[in-house]
Amino acid sequence: TLLCLEPGADYLLLLSMHHTVSDAWSMDVIQRELTLLYAAFTQGHLSPLPELALQYADIAAWQRQWLSGTILETQLAWWREQLAGVPELLTLPTDRPRPAVQSFRGASHAFTLPPELVQGLRQLSRSQGTTLFMTLLAAFQVLLMRHSGQADLVVGVPVAGRTRVEVEPLIGLFVNTLALRSQLADADGAPLSFHTLLAQVRQTVLEAQRHQDVPFEQVVEALQPSRNLSHSPLFQVMFNLLQASETPLQLPGVAIELWEADDAVAKFDLTLSVVEEREATIAALEYNTDLFDAATIVRMAGHFQTLLAGVVADPAQSVATLPMLTADEREQLLVTWNDTVAEYPQACIHELFEAQVARTPDAVALIFEDQQLSYAELNSRANQVAHQLQALGVGPEVLVGLCVERSLEMVVGLLGILKAGGAYVPLDPSYPEERLAFMLADAAVAVLLTQAHLRTTLPATDAQVICLDADWPMIATQPTTNPVSRVQPDHLAYVIYTSGSTGRPKGVMIAHYALAAHIVTVCRHYAITAQDRILQFAAFSFDAAQEQIFAALASGATLVLRSQTLWDGSEFARQVSHTGITIADLPPGYALQLVSAWQGARPTFLDQQVRLVLVGGEAVRPELVRQWQALAPKVTRLLNVYGPTETTITATVGDLSSYTIAAGAVNLPIGRPLAGRQAYLFDPCGQLVPIGVAGELFLGGEGVARGYLNRPELTAEKFIANPFGEGRLYRTGDLARWLPDGNLEYLGRIDQQVKLRGFRIELGEIESVLSSHPVVQEVAVVVRED
């Protein structure tokens, strides 16, 4: 179709051909022939083109006859061997879940490779006996590996298919597709050097070209891969290197400008095309817009160029350590999103409480059922316990066990231990006797605080046992004044035991400065005031309980202890309304039960009273957020809080109140690092991963624990030197990725650890115990949440 835009001046020639009758080579033929024909016809001459020796139909008939029998089977056998056991899917990180059926909606991002970079790539190719195509393909495979985490991958590559001179002047579809497989790690899983990968790619390309005559569809038919409408078989990513036409379209008396048509189609998840033009080398990433955002592809283009520069600079380097992040992205990951420096008082945690006692001595500090204590009363009782403990030799770095049920004595005992200068070890009385015995022995507990009705259920111990209820007449003889201790901020505040994969629980050692800094941080972040009433929900042996207790007592708020019995939806609503709770921290599973129960009868306290609900301790399910948002609270915010015990309770916070959940999403953001915390994501080789790419989460900052009690080897394994600054980083074992807005998205675990109703469970610990039974030969433990 010839469109006249301005008579005698501007015209637009539209030429549309289906791919089944043409390919890129054909376009060059058409361009060359159009130039010759136009020049001839405008001069009144006949066509100067010679008659074709062959037609496309002749080639089709020849191929059917030649490509059969032994020849076909020999070629197919090579492809079967080459692609045996190939991964079904290249799992690149996407911005949205993969739809059940491909729509092929697409877009493209073009970028120019600097001439000096291209020149360096050409020199490298010559020195390695490869072509520029092979070098670019190998670098593209490194990009895919670093984004997906897969070392075994397949990339589709088109070949012209014009292996005989007779077919070169024909217009038609001769192009074929080769599925090129590469292994970017050796048999032991160690990443290859780029030199080694390039040699492998060279061999693979040459072998594939020798077996290129088999149409791709026949290769697919022979391999019989599992078919899925959501992605193409064998490969989902393509690479192509093209050269600009050597005979550009030139028509006598006409100024020609080629217009690129954006057909908004993506044939694969991702296609990298590189075009060698006379003055520049242009690359373009065509992508499926159902999967990727434009910003993601722009970042990926930057990663590719950084990789290419790294390859030129040091081709002997491991493919796992080649530089990939752009300078801007590195600055964003290391500085912009981790600029969390904050000032904290250099104090012990009980000193924050004592300062609050001085400010509001008569305010209600603690409520449990029908009992309550003012700040002054709570302080006096805790002081008496502290003096009693000091008389027994408790001081800095002395561990004191605390095994009590939820009660006023629980908080009195906790503060008393801290005021005496010791560190408390919470012991859940519901734990099995064997576990309690191990914890008491491992911690070498000097004194054990408990309640009289629990004493007979406790394991035998050498510790001196004091019952906070039955022995209170003795304790009450002690002074009520604040005791003097030698405890400093770097001394231990508590040791909390968590599950261990070897079957041995491990005690996490948290110092005063870490706990005090954290409490100051969350009080600021949650804007806690003396008017708040905070629900103490978590089990005392769970680290979230420490935040609930001290955030209240350091800010003048009232701490409300829930009863021993877990409330259902209606009872929770009644209790919260009755006690005036304004802040609640709940396990996600329990919170989901509550909001499910409230869908039919929405409690009014969400509008009038409760201003903040925190959920954490395990992954938050999208269903919880959807149901929460359906309640449409006008006042109450829903925050997702995340943090392992080893980094002092909460490390990151994300607001889910109005978060938009994508269709099919299973993971939700855990937010940004709190003040004084840093978060880094590393791949298995210790390299920072880009935005959007999964990596293991490492946490740093004020909250990092001293380590594990009596476990120096495990401490050295899990707590490493911070490569970007002072202090140490804790490797969480959690998989996460940075979202473009600076939030972290939790993706799961790299090991067998699970979270169940807020409790951290090492499946390996259970397996270890079961395998010790004499009749058990093999064991596997999984979680079922049905």
Side-chain angles (χ1 to χ4, degrees):
T1 302
L2 183 66
L3 301 179
C4 176
L5 306 181
E6 184 179 346
D10 290 327
Y11 296 84
L12 180 63
L13 176 63
L14 302 177
L15 184 61
S16 177
M17 287 183 295
H18 200 282
H19 206 345
T20 55
V21 296
S22 65
D23 53 20
W25 187 295
S26 300
M27 299 310 297
D28 277 349
V29 175
I30 290 173
Q31 195 164 292
R32 182 172 62 253
E33 293 188 352
L34 182 58
T35 298
L36 294 173
L37 291 170
Y38 189 90
F41 293 164
T42 54
Q43 298 297 319
H45 301 315
L46 297 176
S47 169
L49 301 178
E51 290 296 323
L52 294 172
L54 293 172
Q55 292 289 343
Y56 189 82
D58 299 324
I59 302 301
W62 168 81
Q63 185 188 59
R64 289 193 187 97
Q65 179 181 4
W66 176 78
L67 194 60
S68 61
T70 303
I71 295 176
L72 176 61
E73 187 52 40
T74 300
Q75 294 223 3
L76 281 176
W78 186 85
W79 286 108
R80 287 194 191 97
E81 180 181 358
Q82 177 73 8
L83 300 176
V86 71
E88 178 182 338
L89 184 66
L90 177 62
T91 54
L92 288 171
T94 60
D95 296 302
R96 283 166 295 280
R98 182 180 295 275
V101 179
Q102 293 185 88
S103 71
F104 301 100
R105 286 186 289 265
S108 183
H109 167 67
F111 53 100
T112 301
L113 298 181
E116 61 275 12
L117 175 59
V118 176
Q119 182 61 29
L121 292 168
R122 293 187 190 281
Q123 292 175 354
L124 172 62
S125 301
R126 285 193 293 269
S127 69
Q128 299 300 307
T130 65
T131 62
L132 180 62
F133 167 83
M134 295 172 183
T135 303
L136 288 172
L137 173 60
F140 186 45
Q141 290 172 334
V142 174
L143 177 75
L144 298 175
M145 182 202 77
R146 297 280 289 274
H147 274 251
S148 68
Q150 292 178 234
D152 182 2
L153 49 85
V154 180
V155 175
V157 171
V159 288
R162 300 183 187 242
T163 56
R164 303 177 70 88
V165 68
E166 296 90 344
V167 304
E168 291 183 1
L170 293 183
I171 295 172
L173 178 62
F174 290 87
V175 69
N176 191 17
T177 303
L178 307 181
L180 302 184
R181 183 181 191 177
S182 287
Q183 303 277 359
L184 284 82
D186 62 22
D188 296 324
L192 305 179
S193 69
F194 188 79
H195 268 157
T196 305
L197 172 64
L198 189 54
Q200 180 193 133
V201 168
R202 178 183 184 277
Q203 181 179 356
T204 300
V205 169
L206 293 176
E207 285 292 321
Q209 287 177 340
R210 282 193 281 269
H211 298 86
Q212 67 171 289
D213 294 315
V214 182
F216 176 69
E217 53 268 27
Q218 284 189 261
V219 174
V220 174
E221 183 179 348
L223 289 169
Q224 291 292 305
S226 59
R227 303 303 291 268
N228 193 308
L229 294 175
S230 69
H231 60 81
S232 58
L234 296 186
F235 67 87
Q236 297 80 41
V237 173
M238 178 168 273
F239 171 73
N240 194 15
L241 176 64
L242 300 168
Q243 288 186 328
S245 175
E246 296 181 358
T247 55
L249 183 62
Q250 295 177 333
L251 306 183
V254 179
I256 300 294
E257 179 183 355
L258 293 179
W259 280 20
E260 292 292 336
D262 182 6
D263 55 8
V265 170
K267 294 175 281 296
F268 299 96
D269 291 357
L270 193 68
T271 298
L272 173 62
S273 299
V274 180
V275 181
E276 295 183 89
E277 298 182 350
R278 292 178 183 81
E279 299 178 353
T281 301
I282 310 297
L285 280 169
E286 179 187 274
Y287 59 96
N288 187 319
T289 53
D290 286 345
L291 301 177
F292 302 104
D293 290 332
T296 299
I297 300 302
V298 171
R299 285 194 300 272
M300 191 176 290
H303 300 159
F304 184 60
Q305 293 181 82
T306 305
L307 277 172
L308 291 177
V311 164
V312 171
D314 183 9
Q317 195 171 169
S318 165
V319 296
T321 58
L322 282 166
M324 186 170 70
L325 295 178
T326 63
D328 288 345
E329 190 172 15
R330 189 175 179 86
E331 174 81 7
Q332 196 169 32
L333 296 175
L334 293 180
V335 180
T336 308
W337 290 346
N338 275 308
D339 185 13
T340 59
V341 176
E343 294 294 327
Y344 307 101
Q346 292 298 309
C348 295
I349 188 64
H350 60 278
E351 293 173 342
L352 300 183
F353 166 69
E354 291 171 350
Q356 188 59 48
V357 172
R359 289 191 292 267
T360 58
D362 298 326
V364 177
L366 191 60
I367 294 176
F368 178 64
E369 296 178 341
D370 58 350
Q371 307 171 70
Q372 69 177 40
L373 292 174
S374 68
Y375 270 83
E377 291 170 331
L378 176 58
N379 190 51
S380 294
R381 293 195 187 188
N383 286 341
Q384 291 174 314
V385 172
H387 285 293
Q388 183 70 42
L389 291 174
Q390 285 184 335
L392 298 174
V394 173
E397 302 296 305
V398 175
L399 300 184
V400 178
L402 183 59
C403 185
V404 293
E405 290 181 339
R406 197 182 304 271
S407 59
L408 298 181
E409 287 88 354
M410 180 182 80
V411 182
V412 169
L414 181 155
L415 286 170
I417 296 169
L418 293 170
K419 283 170 166 283
Y424 62 92
V425 181
L427 302 165
D428 192 326
S430 66
Y431 280 171
E433 183 178 347
E434 294 85 353
R435 192 176 187 91
L436 290 174
F438 172 84
M439 293 162 67
L440 286 167
D442 186 64
V445 166
V447 180
L448 174 61
L449 300 184
T450 186
Q451 294 162 314
H453 68 283
L454 297 176
R455 186 162 186 174
T456 58
T457 65
L458 293 174
T461 176
D462 294 331
Q464 182 157 349
V465 179
I466 297 178
C467 295
L468 291 171
D469 46 7
D471 294 332
W472 188 257
M474 175 188 66
I475 300 171
T477 63
Q478 296 290 341
T480 59
T481 55
N482 289 340
V484 176
S485 71
R486 295 175 290 106
V487 67
Q488 297 295 320
D490 59 346
H491 285 134
L492 283 181
Y494 64 78
V495 174
I496 284 184
Y497 277 82
T498 65
S499 291
S501 59
T502 63
R504 291 176 57 198
K506 48 188 184 289
V508 180
M509 300 184 289
I510 301 296
H512 274 273
Y513 72 83
L515 182 56
H518 176 70
I519 294 304
V520 169
T521 296
V522 295
C523 286
R524 292 171 181 168
H525 196 85
Y526 304 151
I528 298 175
T529 69
Q531 284 67 51
D532 279 309
R533 289 199 164 195
I534 299 176
L535 175 63
Q536 202 289 293
F537 183 90
F540 178 50
S541 57
F542 188 45
D543 65 344
Q546 323 314 311
E547 178 177 300
Q548 295 162 7
I549 293 170
F550 290 112
L553 299 182
S555 59
T558 299
L559 183 68
V560 180
L561 306 180
R562 72 167 173 86
S563 64
Q564 290 294 118
T565 305
L566 197 63
W567 303 323
D568 61 16
S570 59
E571 181 63 14
F572 184 94
R574 191 186 74 80
Q575 291 285 353
V576 167
S577 297
H578 174 68
T579 56
I581 297 295
T582 61
I583 300 176
D585 185 352
L586 308 171
Y590 180 66
L592 179 57
Q593 292 180 18
L594 293 178
V595 296
S596 298
W598 294 340
Q599 293 301 315
R602 181 174 175 275
T604 57
F605 64 69
L606 289 175
D607 285 333
Q608 302 168 356
Q609 176 188 319
V610 176
R611 68 177 184 85
L612 188 62
V613 171
L614 314 173
V615 287
E618 61 187 1
V620 177
R621 293 163 56 183
E623 183 182 358
L624 167 59
V625 180
R626 292 191 184 97
Q627 292 199 30
W628 174 268
Q629 292 174 352
L631 292 171
K634 299 177 183 177
V635 175
T636 307
R637 296 171 65 205
L638 181 69
L639 300 185
N640 188 8
V641 295
Y642 162 87
T645 304
E646 289 85 348
T647 58
T648 313
I649 318 170
T650 304
T652 69
V653 177
D655 196 333
L656 299 179
S657 304
S658 57
Y659 179 74
T660 301
I661 301 175
V666 295
N667 302 308
L668 296 177
I670 55 175
R672 296 170 179 252
L674 279 171
R677 308 298 185 98
Q678 293 88 45
Y680 306 100
L681 297 178
F682 294 102
D683 65 19
C685 293
Q687 301 297 303
L688 284 175
V689 299
I691 297 168
V693 175
E696 183 180 0
L697 177 57
F698 286 63
L699 295 173
E702 297 290 340
V704 176
R706 183 187 294 180
Y708 296 115
L709 182 66
N710 303 326
R711 306 286 292 277
E713 293 181 359
L714 186 60
T715 298
E717 176 188 343
K718 293 294 187 179
F719 296 86
I720 67 169
N722 185 352
F724 309 117
E726 298 179 354
R728 296 172 303 151
L729 301 180
Y730 170 67
R731 54 182 315 164
T732 66
D734 288 329
L735 273 180
R737 66 173 181 170
W738 287 108
L739 299 177
D741 62 2
N743 279 291
L744 286 162
E745 182 182 70
Y746 176 79
L747 301 175
R749 292 288 300 175
I750 64 171
D751 55 20
Q752 287 187 292
Q753 188 186 105
V754 298
K755 288 288 188 75
L756 190 61
R757 293 189 290 279
F759 289 95
R760 193 164 95 179
I761 299 171
E762 293 275 6
L763 298 183
E765 179 178 357
I766 305 171
E767 291 178 349
S768 176
V769 174
L770 292 176
S771 62
S772 67
H773 195 284
V775 302
V776 175
Q777 290 182 324
E778 294 185 12
V779 58
V781 176
V782 296
V783 172
R784 268 196 3 201
E785 296 188 73
D786 55 5

